[in-house]
Amino acid sequence: MNKAEIVEFFARLAADNPHPETELEYSNAFTLLVAVVLSAQMTDAGVNKATRILFAEADTPEKMLALGEETLKQRLRTINFYNTKARNVLALSQALIERHGSEVPADRDLLETLPGVGRKTANVVLNCAFGRETFAVDTHIFRVGNRTGLARGKTPLDVELKLDKRVPQPFRLHAHHWLILHGRYTCKARTPECWRCVVADLCAYKPKTPAPPAREQRTR
């Protein structure tokens, strides 16, 4: 995509969804951080189901530690890899208390020193909790960036750096939300729903998926 096409690409996504937000439920920076850590290899809906009860009990590092490992594991038993994630949540809670005055740091390098926190998680927290213009490249954004030609790369970091270079204002703050939601609901992994995509004509993906016969019949 050239610069004009990129502007048009995001303008259409913005018009279709003017106020995109993460689908993870949270009440503060700490609960957001925990939710994102738990979301690895999980759907947001699955995380939310577990955290509604958890966050009602523990919305600070101190309260999380007070639950203890066994209770936390019970709260997270529907989460993939809940044993490891429970230990990480307790360890990062301890680290926040000891090193950051119980506050979530608004710094990527510091966030990445916390147990269970990688670059993608840090970028989500910086964007959603602190309003930073970051690009948290998950499987959806990686796919959309490569498939559409918006930002091709062999690794998530490649795609992130290209997005950071190519996405213009005023779209930078919400760009990663638009891309995630587009990949989750329209530009799907197995069968992209090109027939209802608002940016299909700007996309480099050649074998555009036609509408299913039933849909074609309903729209005639």
Side-chain angles (χ1 to χ4, degrees):
M1 292 186 197
N2 59 40
K3 291 182 180 180
E5 289 171 333
I6 292 172
V7 169
E8 181 63 18
F9 181 94
F10 281 107
R12 293 185 195 177
L13 294 181
D16 192 54
N17 185 3
H19 305 290
E21 297 179 348
T22 178
E23 294 184 325
L24 290 171
E25 297 174 3
Y26 67 98
S27 60
N28 55 32
F30 173 69
T31 54
L32 173 64
L33 175 61
V34 172
V36 181
V37 168
L38 296 177
S39 70
Q41 300 186 53
M42 281 289 298
T43 64
D44 287 357
V47 173
N48 292 338
K49 185 176 180 180
T51 58
R52 285 179 193 130
I53 295 174
L54 175 62
F55 292 160
E57 296 177 293
D59 59 357
T60 68
E62 289 83 2
K63 291 178 182 178
M64 193 67 71
L65 281 179
L67 286 180
E69 185 171 335
E70 291 308 313
T71 298
L72 182 56
K73 286 180 179 179
Q74 284 298 311
R75 298 292 184 270
L76 301 179
R77 63 187 181 277
T78 59
I79 299 287
N80 293 337
F81 311 109
Y82 69 92
N83 286 318
T84 298
K85 290 178 179 179
R87 289 192 289 270
N88 282 336
V89 167
L90 292 175
L92 73 83
S93 297
Q94 186 70 48
L96 290 174
I97 294 169
E98 294 178 352
R99 303 203 299 262
H100 304 289
S102 300
E103 298 294 328
V104 175
D107 179 275
R108 182 189 287 118
D109 291 336
L110 292 177
L111 283 167
E112 288 191 63
T113 67
L114 299 172
V117 178
R119 187 178 181 92
K120 183 189 76 173
T121 295
N123 280 337
V124 172
V125 172
L126 290 172
N127 181 270
C128 297
F130 300 108
R132 302 289 178 82
E133 295 174 354
T134 58
F135 303 89
V137 179
D138 67 350
T139 56
H140 296 299
I141 292 184
F142 186 77
R143 178 176 66 255
V144 171
N146 277 284
R147 181 182 277 167
T148 63
L150 173 66
R152 290 195 170 112
K154 294 182 178 180
T155 68
L157 182 59
D158 289 340
V159 173
E160 177 189 337
L161 295 178
K162 286 189 177 179
L163 287 171
D164 192 27
K165 182 178 180 180
R166 304 190 76 188
V167 177
Q169 296 290 10
F171 308 111
R172 292 177 61 82
L173 181 61
H174 297 308
H176 97 267
H177 287 306
W178 283 315
L179 295 174
I180 287 172
L181 295 172
H182 189 64
R184 183 174 292 164
Y185 297 113
T186 303
C187 196
K188 300 177 181 179
R190 292 187 178 181
T191 308
E193 298 182 358
C194 304
W195 70 88
R196 66 180 191 87
C197 175
V198 298
V199 292
D201 59 310
L202 302 171
C203 172
Y205 184 67
K206 293 301 182 184
K208 295 288 195 294
T209 308
R215 184 180 177 86
E216 289 181 337
Q217 292 170 7
R218 288 197 301 270
T219 56
R220 285 175 182 172

Coordinates of all heavy atoms in Angstrom, one line a residue, residues 11 45 57 59 83 165 195:
A11 N -9.1 5.2 7.4 CA -10.3 6.0 7.4 C -11.5 5.2 7.4 O -12.5 5.5 8.0 CB -10.2 7.0 6.3
A45 N -13.0 -13.4 25.5 CA -14.2 -13.8 26.2 C -13.9 -14.8 27.3 O -14.5 -14.8 28.4 CB -15.2 -14.4 25.2
E57 N -12.5 -9.7 43.6 CA -11.8 -10.0 44.8 C -10.4 -9.3 44.9 O -10.0 -8.9 46.0 CB -11.6 -11.5 44.9 CG -12.8 -12.3 45.0 CD -12.4 -13.8 45.1 OE1 -11.9 -14.3 44.1 OE2 -12.6 -14.4 46.1
D59 N -8.2 -6.5 42.9 CA -7.9 -5.5 41.9 C -6.6 -4.7 42.2 O -6.4 -3.6 41.5 CB -9.1 -4.6 41.7 CG -9.5 -3.8 42.9 OD1 -8.8 -4.0 44.0 OD2 -10.4 -3.0 42.9
N83 N -1.7 -22.9 35.7 CA -0.7 -23.0 36.8 C 0.4 -22.0 36.6 O 0.8 -21.3 37.5 CB -0.2 -24.4 36.8 CG -1.2 -25.4 37.4 OD1 -1.8 -25.1 38.4 ND2 -1.3 -26.6 36.8
K165 N 6.2 2.9 11.6 CA 6.7 3.8 10.6 C 5.7 4.3 9.6 O 5.7 5.4 9.1 CB 7.8 3.0 9.8 CG 8.5 3.9 8.7 CD 9.6 3.1 8.1 CE 10.3 3.9 7.0 NZ 11.4 3.2 6.3
W195 N -16.1 -10.6 1.1 CA -17.3 -10.1 0.5 C -17.9 -9.0 1.3 O -18.7 -8.1 0.8 CB -18.3 -11.2 0.2 CG -18.9 -11.7 1.5 CD1 -20.0 -11.3 2.2 CD2 -18.5 -12.8 2.3 NE1 -20.3 -12.0 3.3 CE2 -19.3 -13.0 3.4 CE3 -17.4 -13.7 2.1 CZ2 -19.1 -14.0 4.3 CZ3 -17.2 -14.7 3.1 CH2 -18.1 -14.8 4.2

